[in-house]
Amino acid sequence: MRIDCPCCGSRDIREFTYKGDALALDRPDPDAGDAVWNDYVHNRDNPAGPTRELWYHEMGCAAWLVVTRDTVSHEIEAVELASAAKGDVA
């Protein structure tokens, strides 16, 4: 599998580290309450199909990326810098 890094171009997946669901970009407010934080920390969806994931280009430019990938076929639909995608995550 290859990821098209916006900074470096197409790279082998071994250059990247998977960091989890892109939901991590949408953290609750510090004073959101125990129930909200418990849900954020412990509950995750496990979708079969398109999902947004956070990846780190560890062996390249050190960029944080949001990769939209189908978890069934592993087809990558989109890649964007996490800093640009932060407002889009809901």
Side-chain angles (χ1 to χ4, degrees), residues 1 3 6 13 15 25 32 40 43 46 48 51 62 70 72-73 77-78 82 84 87 90:
M1 191 163 79
I3 295 178
I13 192 144
E15 289 189 14
L25 295 175
Y40 173 77
N43 297 321
N46 188 15
T51 186
D70 188 311
V72 176
S73 67
E77 298 172 10

Side-chain angles (χ1 to χ4, degrees), residues 21-75:
D21 192 331
L23 176 68
L25 295 175
D26 194 28
R27 293 171 42 126
D29 291 326
D31 58 349
D34 291 342
V36 173
W37 274 99
N38 183 58
D39 184 55
Y40 173 77
V41 171
H42 298 290
N43 297 321
R44 294 285 185 262
D45 291 333
N46 188 15
T51 186
R52 295 182 73 189
E53 303 169 333
L54 194 57
W55 289 76
Y56 178 62
H57 197 174
E58 186 172 13
M59 301 293 191
C61 64
W64 287 89
L65 307 173
V66 173
V67 176
T68 303
R69 180 178 69 90
D70 188 311
T71 59
V72 176
S73 67
H74 299 292
E75 180 182 351

Side-chain angles (χ1 to χ4, degrees), residues 2 7 11 15 18 24 27-28 35 38 67 80 85-86:
R2 297 185 69 81
C7 301
R11 297 287 194 250
E15 289 189 14
Y18 173 76
R27 293 171 42 126
N38 183 58
V67 176
E80 58 187 322
K86 187 170 174 25

